Amino acid sequence: MSSSHYTPGSSEAEQQRLTALNKRLNQRCLDAAQLVVGERVVDFGAGLGQFSRMMARATGVPVLALERSPEQIAEALRQADADGDLAFLEMRQGDVLAPLLTDNELGQFDVAHARFVLEHLPDPLLLVRNMAGAVRPGGRVILSDDDYGGLRLWPEPPGFASLWHAYQRTYDRHGNDPIIGRRLVQLLHQADLRPRRITFVFFGGCAGEPDFEAVVRNIASIIDEAMDDIVAIGLPRQSVTATLDALIDWSKEPDSAVWFGMSWAEAVRPV
């Protein structure tokens, strides 16, 4: 089994991008999760731990946050300390495809959660099975991830369709899946869970919204982070840069719009 591949890495710029994305998404994801006071949550691939802490505040119980990157963990703890939230967060380092829970922890959680993780894994079903083993009978497993095939920008910026296609191909080259969002229910079923609810968590936007520039810059940033992989596929670096410049210019037009939603699915472990 090969390890997971996360192209953006854990640079300061990527941490800033993730922080901005969390601010836009977290309340919407929390509304979808419908957490209950007293529930014990384990967060697989917690990143900077911002949503982990938000779930902990909702339940009143510290969240066990599992994360591979020591850089992400260090920044997560720094942010938690700055916000006075250290008591809500237990960070544990390790790959989510490996066993990270003790025998005493298996089957003891009410909710297992993973967001923006499955798309970067060579074996996403293994993670979902790990999550299924973490929750008690009747406990919930929540998955949310991207389906990049569903992204629509309109009116379409010059050259963007070809660039976005090339970006998705970089996933294939690493054995990952850029359209895994549409597979979430299938993965839950294959892990012997009972799917019961799906939705979209919208995070597009349009000209006129205060944070529309941030929406577009998030798209530009993830492409820029994958620049070397995109060039390796065959697109000239100069062409990629020109298309990104055109994307930023496009975002200033009064009728520009980004239509995109994150796939979200929930299942229950059979009793």
Side-chain angles (χ1 to χ4, degrees), residues 14-92:
E14 173 61 7
Q15 290 177 345
Q16 291 173 352
R17 183 189 75 84
L18 290 174
T19 296
L21 186 62
N22 271 262
K23 289 179 180 178
R24 182 169 180 82
L25 277 179
N26 283 356
Q27 185 58 55
R28 300 175 189 182
C29 290
L30 189 67
D31 291 344
Q34 300 178 4
L35 297 175
V36 175
V37 172
E39 285 188 315
R40 189 181 181 196
V41 180
V42 55
D43 194 10
F44 286 76
L48 298 177
Q50 293 151 330
F51 190 55
S52 303
R53 290 190 281 128
M54 196 169 191
M55 290 190 289
R57 288 194 295 271
T59 64
V61 179
V63 165
L64 174 59
L66 309 177
E67 170 58 38
R68 182 182 67 172
S69 166
E71 294 83 5
Q72 299 291 72
I73 292 173
E75 177 61 14
L77 294 174
R78 187 198 68 78
Q79 290 189 14
D81 186 37
D83 293 340
D85 276 351
L86 277 177
F88 283 120
L89 189 64
E90 179 188 348
M91 297 293 302
R92 183 177 300 173

Side-chain angles (χ1 to χ4, degrees), residues 20-187:
L21 186 62
N22 271 262
K23 289 179 180 178
R24 182 169 180 82
L25 277 179
N26 283 356
Q27 185 58 55
R28 300 175 189 182
C29 290
L30 189 67
D31 291 344
Q34 300 178 4
L35 297 175
V36 175
V37 172
E39 285 188 315
R40 189 181 181 196
V41 180
V42 55
D43 194 10
F44 286 76
L48 298 177
Q50 293 151 330
F51 190 55
S52 303
R53 290 190 281 128
M54 196 169 191
M55 290 190 289
R57 288 194 295 271
T59 64
V61 179
V63 165
L64 174 59
L66 309 177
E67 170 58 38
R68 182 182 67 172
S69 166
E71 294 83 5
Q72 299 291 72
I73 292 173
E75 177 61 14
L77 294 174
R78 187 198 68 78
Q79 290 189 14
D81 186 37
D83 293 340
D85 276 351
L86 277 177
F88 283 120
L89 189 64
E90 179 188 348
M91 297 293 302
R92 183 177 300 173
Q93 185 179 359
D95 193 316
V96 293
L97 293 180
L100 293 176
L101 302 179
T102 67
D103 290 343
N104 291 335
E105 291 172 327
L106 291 172
Q108 298 303 307
F109 292 89
D110 300 293
V111 179
H113 171 268
R115 183 178 73 178
F116 296 138
V117 180
L118 296 167
E119 64 186 274
H120 302 293
L121 300 179
D123 188 355
L125 180 57
L126 177 56
L127 170 57
V128 181
R129 284 176 171 154
N130 286 346
M131 296 173 73
V135 297
R136 59 173 174 79
R140 297 184 289 152
V141 172
I142 296 174
L143 307 177
S144 50
D145 226 303
D146 288 316
D147 181 343
Y148 286 129
L151 177 69
R152 296 291 181 269
L153 275 61
W154 198 263
E156 191 170 283
F160 183 79
S162 296
L163 177 57
W164 193 243
H165 177 70
Y167 173 68
Q168 292 182 72
R169 285 187 59 203
T170 68
Y171 274 68
D172 298 335
R173 288 169 68 91
H174 291 292
N176 298 335
D177 189 349
I179 60 170
I180 201 164
R182 68 188 69 176
R183 295 177 52 207
L184 297 185
V185 171
Q186 181 185 47
L187 288 166

Side-chain angles (χ1 to χ4, degrees), residues 250-263:
W250 166 87
S251 70
K252 299 172 185 176
E253 297 296 328
D255 59 347
S256 54
V258 174
W259 301 88
F260 192 57
M262 177 179 61
S263 302

